[in-house]
Amino acid sequence: MTAVEWSSTVSAGDIAAWLDGSDDVQVLTHARPDGDAIGSCFALARAINRRTRKRTARVIFTGTMPRWFDTFADDTPWSSFERADPAPGMPDRLVVVDTGSWSQLDALAEHVRAVGPERTAVIDHHLRGDPDVSPRRLLTTSAAAACEPVAEFCVRLLGLPGPTELPEDIARCLYLGIATDTGWFRHSNVTPATLRLAADLIAAGVDHAALYSMIEQSEKPARLKIIAASLNSLELLDRDRIAIMRLRLSDIAEAHAGPEDTGGLADFPLRIQSVRVAASITEVETADGGPRAKISLRSKPGPGMIDVNAVAGRLGGGGHANASGARIDGTVDEARDRLVAVLTR
């Protein structure tokens, strides 16, 4: 796939016009949604429902939800879908946010195929995706989070002069996505536009301190045990420039933790001065019981930066230059060996 194929084809105004008059809109995102995915979905659905003055849009999620999810759901219509569930109803329009990848849609991929590309739109910020998901793509690959183009869409849809006028319940979801996808504005993906939008959302009424406390300062003891287990497995390679951690299902069970407690682990080894790239490899459960591993990659910006999007691409995944991931059929140890081979060749 080339960068030309995965490109933006429509504007925010085009998608707003395409949605106008639709009585049933579904909003989807990738499996195991993070803050950006959840914030994008809820902000977009709320903007559509506020525009139509009825519950036109509903969100469908798949996979484990973070512990703070209910705080953001409010009264927005949403449901959870897994492979064994009956297929969701056929909508007039479907919008996929924070991904455009069949593999990341996971259990929802077949539903999106059934709806068809002509009734589907994608709003995303990732460097890679599958163009056949939809010919109607609003892509801002320079954005730190999908919530940046979604914010543009919400402003346009509601006919507002700018983000400072957004309703607080929409602004809060957008701020959630931007803050979490930038590591609370620490990562290299932060741009002047990112900070300007964040400031506008605070002006719209977002309580950023309360949001930070809710997301980052309300961990369960199990989460800290998971962090400890991961750090205990830390392996340094290539003159301490590569850091790899492995987390097995037995570690998760021993900590009395769940999948929602295993995110963000790859960020910790980047605190080591010599480390340029870090990976956490987590064993995941599968429907058929076969071994599978999830790889999360992070790298430091600057001279000698390792493009982990390219690394993940060689393993069947993708994402961003400094934050990417992939899923591999095989054991955690097999995934480790494949990753090391890519990183050191």
Side-chain angles (χ1 to χ4, degrees):
M1 183 183 304
T2 67
V4 175
E5 291 174 322
W6 181 244
S7 58
S8 197
T9 60
V10 296
S11 67
D14 292 333
I15 295 182
W18 174 75
L19 286 172
D20 216 21
S22 301
D23 292 325
D24 183 7
V25 179
Q26 291 177 359
V27 182
L28 312 181
T29 187
H30 56 78
R32 290 188 64 187
D34 56 7
D36 193 25
I38 291 169
S40 296
C41 284
F42 280 145
L44 191 147
R46 287 171 186 172
I48 293 171
N49 291 341
R50 194 173 292 264
R51 167 70 179 266
T52 60
R53 300 184 184 278
K54 54 186 177 181
R55 295 160 76 87
T56 296
R58 57 194 174 100
V59 183
I60 304 175
F61 294 111
T62 186
T64 306
M65 309 304 288
R67 68 188 182 284
W68 41 259
F69 172 82
D70 290 341
T71 307
F72 287 89
D74 294 337
D75 62 349
T76 305
W78 71 274
S79 60
S80 179
F81 175 81
E82 301 302 334
R83 292 185 190 278
D85 297 337
M90 196 63 60
D92 296 335
R93 297 283 189 264
L94 185 150
V95 185
V96 177
V97 298
D98 198 31
T99 187
S101 164
W102 290 119
S103 63
Q104 289 186 337
L105 286 168
D106 198 41
L108 286 166
E110 287 309 308
H111 174 61
V112 176
R113 292 185 193 275
V115 173
E118 292 305 319
R119 283 191 285 178
T120 301
V122 172
I123 304 178
D124 192 22
H125 71 127
H126 290 94
L127 298 174
R128 291 174 180 264
D130 297 312
D132 59 329
V133 172
S134 172
R136 192 174 291 100
R137 301 184 296 273
L138 174 60
L139 308 179
T140 310
T141 56
S142 61
C147 277
E148 290 189 48
V150 170
E152 179 187 1
F153 169 82
C154 292
V155 168
R156 182 64 180 263
L157 185 70
L158 296 175
L160 301 174
T164 59
E165 303 302 316
L166 283 166
E168 189 276 338
D169 64 328
I170 294 177
R172 177 163 31 98
C173 291
L174 295 169
Y175 192 93
L176 165 72
I178 294 168
T180 53
D181 247 27
T182 59
W184 300 91
F185 309 101
R186 292 181 293 110
H187 298 336
S188 62
N189 58 351
V190 174
T191 67
T194 305
L195 294 174
R196 280 192 290 268
L197 177 56
D200 286 345
L201 296 174
I202 291 173
V206 174
D207 186 339
H208 61 102
L211 201 59
Y212 179 83
S213 178
M214 180 193 310
I215 304 299
E216 300 294 337
Q217 296 179 324
S218 59
E219 301 283 12
K220 300 183 299 183
R223 166 66 173 170
L224 270 66
K225 291 179 181 179
I226 287 294
I227 294 171
S230 297
L231 292 175
N232 193 49
S233 73
L234 180 64
E235 177 184 15
L236 295 173
L237 305 169
D238 191 26
R239 290 175 291 169
D240 295 348
R241 291 185 295 187
I242 298 172
I244 297 178
M245 300 183 299
R246 283 173 272 187
L247 189 68
R248 305 175 193 276
L249 287 174
S250 57
D251 296 321
I252 298 172
E254 186 176 344
H256 300 289
E260 69 277 9
D261 298 310
T262 63
L265 299 173
D267 290 315
F268 288 96
L270 293 181
R271 300 183 184 189
I272 300 172
Q273 184 179 19
S274 61
V275 170
R276 304 307 303 167
V277 61
S280 65
I281 306 174
T282 304
E283 183 180 5
V284 296
E285 293 182 345
T286 58
D288 60 6
R292 201 172 197 203
K294 175 188 174 186
I295 300 176
S296 294
L297 294 159
R298 299 291 184 270
S299 67
K300 290 177 180 176
M305 186 197 84
I306 297 174
D307 182 351
V308 292
N309 176 59
V311 173
R314 297 189 190 104
L315 298 170
H320 305 284
N322 295 111
S324 287
R327 286 177 179 256
I328 291 179
D329 290 329
T331 67
V332 167
D333 295 331
E334 289 169 342
R336 179 264 182 204
D337 292 344
R338 287 183 61 184
L339 174 61
V340 171
V342 172
L343 286 171
T344 57
R345 73 180 183 182

